[in-house]
Amino acid sequence: MLRQVLHEGLRTSFYKIGHFIANHPVFFFSVPVLISILLGASFSRYRVEENVEYLLAPKHSLAKIEGNLVDSLFPVNRSKHTLYSDLQTPGRYGRVIVTTGRGNVLDQQHVDLILELHSAVTQIQVNMLGFNYTFAHLCLLDDNSSCIVDDILHVLEELRTARTYNRSATPLQYPITRLQDGREAYIGHQLGGVQPAGRRSVRSARALQLTYHLQAVSPLNDMVATHWEARFCQVLEHYQEVHPEVTLYPFTSSTPQRDFQRTSKVSQRPLLVSLSLCLSIAVLCCSMRDCVRTKPWLGLLALASVGLASLTSAGIINLTGGKYNSTFLGIPFVMLGHGLFGTFEMLSSWRRTREDQHVKERVAAVFSDCMLPFTASTALYLVTFGIGASPFTNIEAVRLFCRNICISVLFNYLYVLTFYGSSLVFSGYLENNYQHSLFCKKVPKPEVMQQKPAWYRFLMHTQFNEEASELGDLRAYESHLLVVFMKRHYCDWITNTYVKPFVVLFYLVYVSFALMGYLQVSEGSDLSNVVATETSTIAYTRAQQKYFSSYSPVIGFYIYESIEYWNASVQEDVLEYTKGFERISWFESYLNYLRSLNMSTSLPRRNFTEHLRSGFLKQPQFLHFSDDIIFGRLVDGEVDVVASRMFLVAKTTENKREEMYILLDTLRKLSLTSRIKFIIFNPSFVYMDRYASSVGAPLKNSCIAALFLLFFSAFLVADSLVNVWLTVTAASVEFGVIGFMTLWRVELDCVSVLCLIYGVNHAIDSCAPLVSTFALGRDSTRTRWVKLALERHGVPVLQSFLCYGAALLPLAAVPSNLTATLFRCLFLTALITLFHCLAILPILLTFLPPSKKKRKEKKAAETREEIECVEMADSTRVVDQITTV
């Protein structure tokens, strides 16, 4: 009883609101337009977020803490040439992959071409403030104040020198080779597509990678480096034209952010096509043969209300200092899904009102019927996306998207309530006065119409019903194509006894395929998942995957506390931890150095340190290890190693990223249990660390929030089983979307997670009116109430799907991975929700709770009276029923 009182009280409140809006339609129509125009003028403050790491990397992660510790010991800016990573290298740099097709980059011709290319790059000049900056002015410097370049260039120069003087070069090994000066260098990320000749020797290589690291220690320096990167790409493009025998894949630190924002540019035309298609379908869905009762303007104004809400929310974002990024492309589609269904529900409710009522009463009845579920669904949007907008969300792109969605959905709700509600009032007055819905011209009476030409009668066709009854109203609107299809054909077909088993079987097939995809879900932390396709990032990433996937990024192994390096057991532990990796290790080289001198590796601390400082690090081939060791003076005055680092590289396969997740997790766990205090770090760990939990957390929190909201709102609805069905339906839809998007090669990244959060809302939004109508029905059979629920709410579901699907289709043509993810996830969400609303729920509700109370017979079976309803119609209207007993 309390539920019913609350339910009726809320319906009465919305009835009064609708009546108030109908009394002041001009005000409620014009105010949203004026607000949107005023706030839309703030686009002069439009700004774009260019920091991709800020948007896509987890804000709070152990990798960032480790990176700060590493930077305090061994500055990352100086050692970034050693800490190689694919797309997440810090600072400014230029990088190029050189491939030869089926040739060998180590033969004479290609060596000369690559060295020529290197010379051209080092001679790039950038004019800034009257001074020409070259690579020599911007490069990282070693201890001898020389530019740091890749070791593979030293190898190529040795090969050319040996060929010039007709002598044999130092044998090239892979992935660690020994240079002419005696030091060992890791070239696994510089030489790719290697064909081995023996255990470590190189027969040929198909690709070579060069990296040019730049300094960015001041704003001026950073500006110069930015211009140098642009010139770097231009030089490589020109070199590619002159030398077609090699293929170049350039990449710079600015490339990811440029390609990330390029999605917004390449999406402009498809978005215009999307708007046009959605507008056309919306107008068609609201149109019918009757020129008075057709509502094409309401289809147009439904999109206008969504557009005004988008403009208002964008203005607020601009005024509050917000910055745009390409993930915001999904916001208009979320608003379409929210707004279109609400407006089509209002239009469907309008068709069920009596024509003999005043327009104000009809609008109030529409608000009473539709605004309660629409308000509940809006509250669900605000709660689920509000959780995602909270500080608990660890990925900034997700948090910003959710925050802006909350603003947009709120104004979308207000504008549907006011702008579209007042539009319904104006349309109602046109209908009440029998004026043409498009031209606003008064439609002549039938006797006058007969004297008009055929084309005039065709344009002005309508059914007069001045003494309207409820039955007459319904029949007048039955000329709508979708209403005819749903009421006369689909409802009877879907509830047919012979159709039900096939629908259930089809649902089991759906669950099976969804489960198959669900078990294969993978995480997508790669930057290439959110950039445009025909870009340098994608080309470079493919070349990386093809030629340089044999080894992981270089992992720094940092021992940040003083340990007993001279102790034999500690030495065994360190060697055991680094076992199985390709290693560039001062510690292992030092132990081998001691053994080469026939000395024990278990020397006393003083002797161990003295030989390290005075002997080992003075050798030319080991001099570069000085950057890997930090000496400190102890309390007793002796010098000891207080921190050191080594570099490890793991052998990988095609599943390089998944293997890196496992490796990172394994080494982290080992660092917690080991007596040696160490950390591991690579710049790419900032993106990988806690990515799964950071991406999944907003979805999990939003689902929990939706569950709690449905639980507590069960006390406000007339039947608590409504919320049970909505929960089960949303879970089924989400399960299917996750499974099928995985089968469609969509990974779980920040964009797909945002779509999944929207999927929860869309499923509940679409199914709630249908389930509520069925649950509240009494005194009839299940099948009858299923048909009635489909007649009332099936058409809005179908209309919103047609418009939404038409709006999504142009996204499939956008050459961008981000929009491809948006299209696939949102289209699956809409399609699976439609399948549940029009097929699964109608079937399940015919034999599952809530039950229907059978009407009690007032008389005995033998005295039962048969009632026959006969309809009689004249030329102008359907008259009342004549009942015969």
Side-chain angles (χ1 to χ4, degrees):
M1 183 182 299
L2 179 60
R3 290 198 199 101
Q4 291 178 353
V5 170
L6 290 173
H7 190 262
E8 290 302 321
L10 291 172
R11 287 174 60 92
T12 303
S13 300
F14 282 113
Y15 182 91
K16 293 179 179 178
I17 292 174
H19 206 282
F20 182 74
I21 291 175
N23 283 326
H24 309 86
V26 177
F27 175 79
F28 286 105
F29 185 88
S30 57
V31 167
V33 176
L34 293 176
I35 293 176
S36 300
I37 293 174
L38 291 175
L39 291 176
S42 65
F43 268 91
S44 59
R45 300 189 179 189
Y46 175 85
R47 292 186 300 168
V48 176
E49 179 59 64
E50 298 181 351
N51 192 339
V52 179
E53 180 179 340
Y54 168 75
L55 290 173
L56 302 179
K59 293 187 296 183
H60 309 292
S61 66
L62 185 57
K64 287 193 174 182
I65 299 174
E66 291 170 342
N68 293 333
L69 177 58
V70 166
D71 195 49
S72 65
L73 296 173
F74 304 94
V76 175
N77 192 53
R78 281 202 60 192
S79 58
K80 57 190 177 184
H81 66 285
T82 312
L83 280 173
Y84 173 80
S85 61
D86 298 342
L87 300 181
Q88 292 88 17
T89 302
R92 295 286 182 182
Y93 60 91
R95 185 175 288 162
V96 58
I97 294 177
V98 184
T99 64
T100 61
R102 296 184 178 180
N104 181 12
V105 295
L106 299 177
D107 61 23
Q108 177 179 345
Q109 176 189 3
H110 292 106
V111 167
D112 292 340
L113 285 175
I114 293 170
L115 291 177
E116 180 184 344
L117 173 64
H118 170 66
S119 177
V121 169
T122 56
Q123 294 175 11
I124 292 176
Q125 293 185 354
V126 175
N127 186 274
M128 186 70 65
L129 301 177
F131 185 82
N132 289 326
Y133 291 88
T134 64
F135 179 69
H137 299 99
L138 302 172
C139 65
L140 292 180
L141 301 176
D142 58 16
D143 294 333
N144 298 323
S145 298
S146 300
C147 286
I148 296 176
V149 295
D150 288 341
D151 294 317
I152 193 65
L153 289 171
H154 300 305
V155 173
L156 297 182
E157 290 173 351
E158 290 173 10
L159 290 175
R160 185 169 67 175
T161 302
R163 186 180 69 245
T164 302
Y165 292 101
N166 197 22
R167 58 178 175 81
S168 60
T170 305
L172 181 61
Q173 296 182 323
Y174 185 82
I176 296 178
T177 190
R178 188 174 295 276
L179 302 179
Q180 193 172 20
D181 58 5
R183 66 186 180 90
E184 291 184 337
Y186 172 73
I187 59 171
H189 59 274
Q190 299 172 11
L191 202 62
V194 173
Q195 294 291 328
R199 186 168 178 268
R200 285 189 172 269
S201 300
V202 176
R203 176 183 300 169
S204 65
R206 296 176 57 192
L208 184 141
Q209 181 169 231
L210 301 176
T211 304
Y212 300 89
H213 293 281
L214 309 175
Q215 297 184 45
V217 294
S218 65
L220 176 61
N221 198 258
D222 185 71
M223 185 183 300
V224 175
T226 303
H227 286 81
W228 189 93
E229 289 179 353
R231 286 285 299 137
F232 173 79
C233 294
Q234 294 173 5
V235 168
L236 293 183
E237 183 179 353
H238 176 70
Y239 193 85
Q240 175 73 80
E241 295 174 355
V242 176
H243 299 283
E245 61 271 25
V246 295
T247 305
L248 305 180
Y249 300 94
F251 189 83
T252 67
S253 65
S254 305
T255 301
Q257 65 188 37
R258 184 181 66 246
D259 294 343
F260 176 64
Q261 298 300 342
R262 190 183 174 193
T263 299
S264 302
K265 298 179 180 178
V266 298
S267 301
Q268 292 176 357
R269 289 187 178 179
L271 285 178
L272 292 177
V273 176
S274 174
L275 178 62
S276 302
L277 284 176
C278 186
L279 187 62
S280 303
I281 299 297
V283 170
L284 289 175
C285 285
C286 297
S287 301
M288 53 190 295
R289 179 73 178 87
D290 194 313
C291 72
V292 171
R293 295 173 179 87
T294 187
K295 298 289 186 290
W297 285 115
L298 288 184
L300 178 71
L301 292 171
L303 287 179
S305 65
V306 174
L308 291 175
S310 302
L311 192 61
T312 302
S313 58
I316 292 175
I317 294 169
N318 289 328
L319 291 175
T320 55
K323 295 183 180 180
Y324 287 81
N325 62 78
S326 292
T327 60
F328 288 5
L329 286 173
I331 294 179
F333 295 97
V334 174
M335 295 180 66
L336 272 179
H338 172 254
L340 283 178
F341 183 72
T343 54
F344 285 133
E345 272 289 333
M346 294 175 69
L347 187 56
S348 176
S349 179
W350 175 269
R351 296 193 188 103
R352 297 194 296 271
T353 58
R354 295 173 57 90
E355 288 188 2
D356 60 346
Q357 289 180 312
H358 194 275
V359 172
K360 297 178 182 179
E361 297 297 327
R362 296 181 72 181
V363 172
V366 168
F367 273 66
S368 175
D369 185 37
C370 297
M371 278 302 143
L372 181 57
F374 188 58
T375 303
S377 66
T378 302
L380 186 64
Y381 272 89
L382 295 178
V383 169
T384 52
F385 281 104
I387 292 292
S390 68
F392 299 106
T393 300
N394 204 16
I395 296 182
E396 192 65 17
V398 175
R399 193 187 68 82
L400 292 175
F401 184 94
C402 291
R403 184 195 68 182
N404 296 332
I405 278 291
C406 290
I407 299 173
S408 302
V409 166
L410 178 60
F411 279 98
N412 204 22
Y413 170 76
L414 295 176
Y415 285 3
V416 168
L417 196 71
T418 56
F419 179 81
Y420 191 78
S422 57
S423 302
L424 195 62
V425 175
F426 294 132
S427 176
Y429 279 118
L430 290 177
E431 179 181 334
N432 196 51
N433 296 329
Y434 281 91
Q435 291 177 273
H436 197 286
S437 293
L438 280 177
F439 312 121
C440 303
K441 179 178 175 57
K442 183 77 173 179
V443 178
K445 293 289 184 179
E447 55 272 13
V448 179
M449 186 75 73
Q450 297 299 326
Q451 304 173 6
K452 300 292 183 180
W455 64 268
Y456 188 89
R457 294 197 303 270
F458 176 79
L459 289 178
M460 296 302 227
H461 171 77
T462 189
Q463 177 182 352
F464 279 84
N465 194 18
E466 296 177 352
E467 299 177 2
S469 66
E470 185 175 358
L471 181 63
D473 292 342
L474 293 177
R475 292 203 166 184
Y477 281 108
E478 275 187 4
S479 60
H480 192 284
L481 180 63
L482 294 179
V483 174
V484 171
F485 166 75
M486 189 62 62
K487 186 172 183 178
R488 299 182 182 178
H489 304 286
Y490 185 78
C491 290
D492 292 332
W493 177 79
I494 197 65
T495 55
N496 189 293
T497 306
Y498 300 103
V499 174
K500 293 179 183 179
F502 292 99
V503 175
V504 173
L505 180 62
F506 189 77
Y507 181 70
L508 294 177
V509 173
Y510 157 82
V511 172
S512 301
F513 277 93
L515 179 62
M516 182 172 63
Y518 187 84
L519 297 176
Q520 302 175 32
V521 172
S522 60
E523 302 156 11
S525 61
D526 197 339
L527 284 177
S528 59
N529 290 340
V530 293
V531 300
T533 52
E534 303 299 327
T535 55
S536 300
T537 301
I538 297 298
Y540 175 83
T541 303
R542 290 173 180 169
Q544 272 276 353
Q545 183 66 25
K546 184 177 181 179
Y547 297 109
F548 298 94
S549 60
S550 299
Y551 292 95
S552 71
V554 179
I555 302 170
F557 183 90
Y558 298 86
I559 301 174
Y560 58 88
E561 288 186 0
S562 179
I563 63 173
E564 298 177 351
Y565 291 95
W566 59 90
N567 189 305
S569 63
V570 173
Q571 293 174 4
E572 290 177 3
D573 287 343
V574 174
L575 294 177
E576 181 65 25
Y577 297 156
T578 59
K579 182 180 178 181
F581 293 92
E582 297 291 343
R583 302 171 295 277
I584 302 294
S585 170
W586 71 268
F587 185 68
E588 190 171 349
S589 298
Y590 180 48
L591 296 184
N592 293 332
Y593 169 78
L594 292 177
R595 295 189 186 101
S596 67
L597 298 178
N598 294 323
M599 298 177 63
S600 172
T601 57
S602 301
L603 297 172
R605 181 178 66 184
R606 177 180 295 180
N607 295 343
F608 187 89
T609 307
E610 186 63 28
H611 281 290
L612 175 62
R613 296 178 63 197
S614 305
F616 177 74
L617 295 179
K618 298 298 182 183
Q619 301 295 321
Q621 66 271 28
F622 303 127
L623 186 61
H624 63 285
F625 284 130
S626 300
D627 294 333
D628 300 336
I629 305 171
I630 298 177
F631 292 98
R633 194 169 296 276
L634 303 180
V635 178
D636 55 5
E638 295 187 2
V639 176
D640 194 11
V641 178
V642 295
S644 68
R645 67 177 177 182
M646 307 161 201
F647 297 105
L648 311 177
V649 184
K651 183 76 174 177
T652 57
T653 60
E654 292 182 358
N655 297 323
K656 181 176 179 180
R657 186 162 293 275
E658 287 76 10
E659 293 175 354
M660 286 300 298
Y661 285 134
I662 298 172
L663 178 62
L664 177 60
D665 186 59
T666 303
L667 290 176
R668 285 265 176 80
K669 292 179 180 178
L670 181 62
S671 68
L672 296 176
T673 59
S674 170
R675 63 173 177 169
I676 298 175
K677 303 301 180 183
F678 71 89
I679 57 175
I680 56 173
F681 179 73
N682 180 276
S684 62
F685 290 174
V686 174
Y687 285 83
M688 297 166 58
D689 189 25
R690 292 187 63 192
Y691 188 83
S693 60
S694 299
V695 165
L699 176 61
K700 179 179 67 177
N701 295 338
S702 297
C703 290
I704 293 174
L707 192 62
F708 271 96
L709 187 64
L710 289 172
F711 174 75
F712 287 112
S713 64
F715 300 102
L716 300 177
V717 296
D719 195 326
S720 58
L721 283 175
V722 172
N723 287 7
V724 175
W725 273 110
L726 293 180
T727 303
V728 173
T729 304
S732 178
V733 170
E734 282 294 278
F735 179 71
V737 172
I738 293 175
F740 282 97
M741 81 175 192
T742 304
L743 296 178
W744 208 350
R745 293 179 306 202
V746 175
E747 295 179 326
L748 193 65
D749 56 14
C750 62
V751 178
S752 58
V753 162
L754 292 170
C755 295
L756 291 174
I757 297 175
Y758 165 70
V760 175
N761 296 276
H762 184 72
I764 295 176
D765 193 10
S766 301
C767 299
L770 188 144
V771 177
S772 298
T773 300
F774 176 84
L776 297 177
R778 293 292 183 270
D779 299 334
S780 189
T781 62
R782 294 173 180 273
T783 302
R784 173 59 189 149
W785 276 107
V786 166
K787 290 182 178 180
L788 188 60
L790 282 175
E791 290 173 8
R792 291 183 178 180
H793 307 291
V795 173
V797 170
L798 194 56
Q799 287 174 323
S800 60
F801 172 76
L802 292 175
C803 295
Y804 196 65
L808 286 175
L809 283 178
L811 275 185
V814 179
S816 170
N817 290 333
L818 188 150
T819 53
T821 301
L822 275 177
F823 167 73
R824 294 175 183 180
C825 292
L826 295 179
F827 184 77
L828 284 173
T829 298
L831 184 63
I832 293 174
T833 302
L834 179 75
F835 171 60
H836 279 74
C837 286
L838 298 187
I840 300 302
L841 277 177
I843 295 300
L844 296 181
L845 288 174
T846 57
F847 55 83
L848 290 176
S851 63
K852 297 298 168 193
K853 297 178 181 178
K854 294 184 178 180
R855 183 175 56 187
K856 296 181 179 180
E857 302 291 348
K858 295 184 179 180
K859 295 187 179 180
E862 61 273 8
T863 61
R864 181 179 304 159
E865 298 175 341
E866 295 184 0
I867 298 176
E868 179 183 4
C869 296
V870 181
E871 299 171 358
M872 301 180 63
D874 58 14
S875 60
T876 60
R877 51 164 284 134
V878 178
V879 299
D880 204 355
Q881 301 183 58
I882 298 178
T883 305
T884 61
V885 180

